[in-house]
Amino acid sequence: MSRLFPSLRVLLAGLVLALFALPASAAPERTPEQLIRESVERLTAEIEGRRDYFADNLDELKALVDDSLDDIADFRYIGASVMGRYFQNATPQQRSRFADTFRQTLIDTYTKGLVTFDYRELRVLEHQRPQRHEDQASVDMEVVATSGQVYPVSYSLRLSGGEWRVVNVIVNGINLGLTFRNQFDQAMRDHGRDYDAVIASWAPEIAVEELEEGGGA
């Protein structure tokens, strides 16, 4: 198998953010697939032909990404999921600080990935799996590299407050939510359960080899 470039790693690790950028007026009668498809089309339209510009103006691209997420992404929910069993004993301030830190690290990662990975296409699959629950859904898409290598991406969504929101993403069989949770758990062990130290040093990492080899969902 061909080598998975680090720039692809940051793009895929950050893709969990791409689908958060749904319009604030998104009506729940639209299917998760429609929301995902529209979001991907907007994303590619924003970046297409401007990668060189944004490569020299990362702060501008970062601001665009941050703006789109401001009223949409529930980072406190995601942050709580990543903290896992440690969430209960964290203070409200620590929970809030980790949510903010987690948000910023993913925005930084995603922004860099958008301008450094030379992908050919982001495509939402035509045929999706049936929705098993009224308030839960999944949408599958693929990232196609210029080499032709295809990386499957599956988004998990939930209906919250009348809007569909992405709550997890699986890349090439690797569950990013679970991976980040395991990393937080290991960081807590390494730092003697010092919440402040873990939050201050938080830097999510997805191993190149792990994404390259894939895994079970």
Side-chain angles (χ1 to χ4, degrees):
M1 181 178 294
S2 60
R3 184 67 176 171
L4 182 65
F5 295 107
S7 54
L8 174 59
R9 174 188 60 188
V10 295
L11 175 67
L12 295 180
L15 267 174
V16 66
L17 295 176
L19 283 305
F20 278 134
L22 306 178
S25 60
E29 62 265 19
R30 284 196 287 176
T31 67
E33 180 185 349
Q34 289 172 326
L35 294 178
I36 297 299
R37 194 177 299 279
E38 291 173 11
S39 181
V40 169
E41 290 174 354
R42 278 197 311 276
L43 169 67
T44 54
E46 285 278 352
I47 304 300
E48 190 64 31
R50 304 185 68 195
R51 290 193 198 181
D52 290 342
Y53 171 79
F54 283 126
D56 294 329
N57 297 273
L58 282 179
D59 286 343
E60 186 173 335
L61 179 57
K62 192 181 301 183
L64 290 175
V65 173
D66 199 12
D67 254 6
S68 69
L69 303 176
D70 191 38
D71 298 320
I72 304 302
D74 189 352
F75 279 97
R76 298 193 183 284
Y77 177 91
I78 302 169
S81 178
V82 172
M83 292 180 81
R85 63 193 179 95
Y86 298 102
F87 179 81
Q88 189 66 32
N89 291 327
T91 66
Q93 293 78 13
Q94 288 169 333
R95 295 173 182 176
S96 179
R97 196 160 69 251
F98 179 70
D100 292 341
T101 298
F102 185 80
R103 168 183 179 138
Q104 195 56 57
T105 56
L106 284 186
I107 288 176
D108 291 347
T109 294
Y110 180 51
T111 299
K112 294 174 184 176
L114 283 175
V115 296
T116 55
F117 174 57
D118 192 14
Y119 61 89
R120 186 173 72 199
E121 184 182 7
L122 302 178
R123 62 191 183 202
V124 179
L125 301 186
E126 292 295 331
H127 302 289
Q128 298 290 331
R129 289 170 286 172
Q131 188 173 324
R132 300 176 62 182
H133 304 284
E134 290 186 359
D135 61 347
Q136 298 176 39
S138 62
V139 176
D140 298 328
M141 65 171 290
E142 296 175 335
V143 177
V144 185
T146 52
S147 65
Q149 181 74 33
V150 177
Y151 300 93
V153 180
S154 179
Y155 294 91
S156 300
L157 302 91
R158 72 180 183 117
L159 192 60
S160 176
E163 294 181 357
W164 285 104
R165 297 189 180 186
V166 174
V167 294
N168 194 20
V169 60
I170 297 172
V171 179
N172 203 22
I174 302 299
N175 186 316
L176 295 186
L178 179 59
T179 298
F180 291 147
R181 185 185 303 175
N182 289 339
Q183 290 178 0
F184 189 90
D185 179 72
Q186 187 60 53
M188 288 291 284
R189 294 170 186 271
D190 292 343
H191 289 85
R193 301 198 175 206
D194 185 333
Y195 283 86
D196 294 330
V198 171
I199 295 170
S201 61
W202 177 254
E205 291 289 341
I206 300 296
V208 172
E209 295 78 8
E210 186 177 7
L211 283 179
E212 186 177 42
E213 295 172 1

